[in-house]
Each structure stands twice: as structure tokens, then as C-alpha cells.
Amino acid sequence: MSDTPSKQRPQYRNIGIAQITKYHLPAAGKVSILHRISGALLFLSLPIILIPLFAASVASPESFASLGSGAGGLILKLILLVLLWGFMHHLCAGIRYLVLDLHIGIDKVSAQKSAAVVMGVSLALTLVFAVKMFGAI
């Protein structure tokens, strides 16, 4: 061991809002937090949004047609786009975590690269669906 003193690292015991905004979170940490947020978003939207929409769509042909005509609204499209992002991110991050559970890519550099790939792929897939949803294709 060397006799040089190590650099004193900051200690965050009672973290406040001012300290959270200055804290640098690595890409893997951001993916982890977004994975939890997207999972909670999908779970909470199930009884509030998705099940009532599904129930209305299978009730009768008229209700299905009315939902189809209502899907043209901007607010509904934005809500569906947020839910779609949540699903895409949760799916991509879940695959990443399954691969990490197999002890593949667990070193720091590979984990950072796979986190960046998850962010890029989930945003790209959401963008593809957004372009399709808003009628550009």
C-alpha cells in the first residue's frame, strides 16, 4: 500500500434537492431509475387507461368505431406515446437485465455501453411508432 492519502470523497447522508441536482448519475443508473419509472407507469396505467379502453373496444362494434375515431385526438395520442415509450424502455431494459443476470457484460465499460444502447434503442423505437402514429408514414 502507498502512504499517499486518498482523495476525500463527498458523503451524502441527508440528501437534499440541491445536492440531487448536482449529483452525476451514470448511464446505467439512469436506465435503472427509468426502468422502475416505466414499470410503475405501465402498472398504474393498466386499471386507469388500458382496461377501460379494452372493455370499451370489445363491448360493441359502435363503441369500437367511436374509439377509433377518438384516437385521432392529440392528447390521446400523446398519452399513448408516453405509454408506448414506457413499454419500449421497460422491454429493452428488461432484456439488458436478463443478459446481465447471465453474467454477460457486467464489467463497467460494457455495462455503460449497454445502458446507452438501451436508451438509444428505446427512444428510436418510440420515435418510429410516433412517426407512424402521427401519420408521417
Side-chain angles (χ1 to χ4, degrees), residues 49-73:
I49 298 171
L50 298 178
I51 291 177
L53 283 177
F54 177 72
S57 71
V58 297
S60 68
E62 293 80 21
S63 64
F64 180 78
S66 68
L67 282 176
S69 64

Side-chain angles (χ1 to χ4, degrees), residues 25-39 89-90 93 96-97 115 118-119:
L25 196 62
K30 291 176 186 173
V31 167
S32 176
I33 289 172
L34 288 174
H35 182 71
R36 292 170 189 241
I37 290 171
S38 65
H89 182 80
H90 202 74
R96 175 182 181 261
Y97 290 131
V118 164
M119 294 290 281

Side-chain angles (χ1 to χ4, degrees), residues 1-127:
M1 304 291 291
S2 70
D3 293 332
T4 59
S6 62
K7 179 182 167 186
Q8 189 68 15
R9 296 191 175 261
Q11 294 183 358
Y12 299 109
R13 295 175 191 229
N14 295 320
I15 297 178
I17 297 297
Q19 290 174 328
I20 288 175
T21 58
K22 295 177 186 174
Y23 187 75
H24 174 70
L25 196 62
K30 291 176 186 173
V31 167
S32 176
I33 289 172
L34 288 174
H35 182 71
R36 292 170 189 241
I37 290 171
S38 65
L41 175 75
L42 292 172
F43 178 75
L44 294 174
S45 71
L46 193 65
I48 297 170
I49 298 171
L50 298 178
I51 291 177
L53 283 177
F54 177 72
S57 71
V58 297
S60 68
E62 293 80 21
S63 64
F64 180 78
S66 68
L67 282 176
S69 64
L74 180 65
I75 293 177
L76 182 59
K77 283 185 178 181
L78 291 176
I79 290 171
L80 291 175
L81 191 62
V82 169
L83 290 175
L84 189 64
W85 167 83
F87 177 73
M88 290 298 152
H89 182 80
H90 202 74
L91 177 71
C92 293
I95 292 170
R96 175 182 181 261
Y97 290 131
L98 287 174
V99 171
L100 288 175
D101 285 344
L102 295 172
H103 299 284
I104 299 171
I106 58 175
D107 60 294
K108 186 176 181 179
V109 175
S110 298
Q112 294 295 336
K113 286 181 183 178
S114 68
V117 167
V118 164
M119 294 290 281
V121 168
S122 66
L123 289 174
L125 287 172
T126 304
L127 182 65

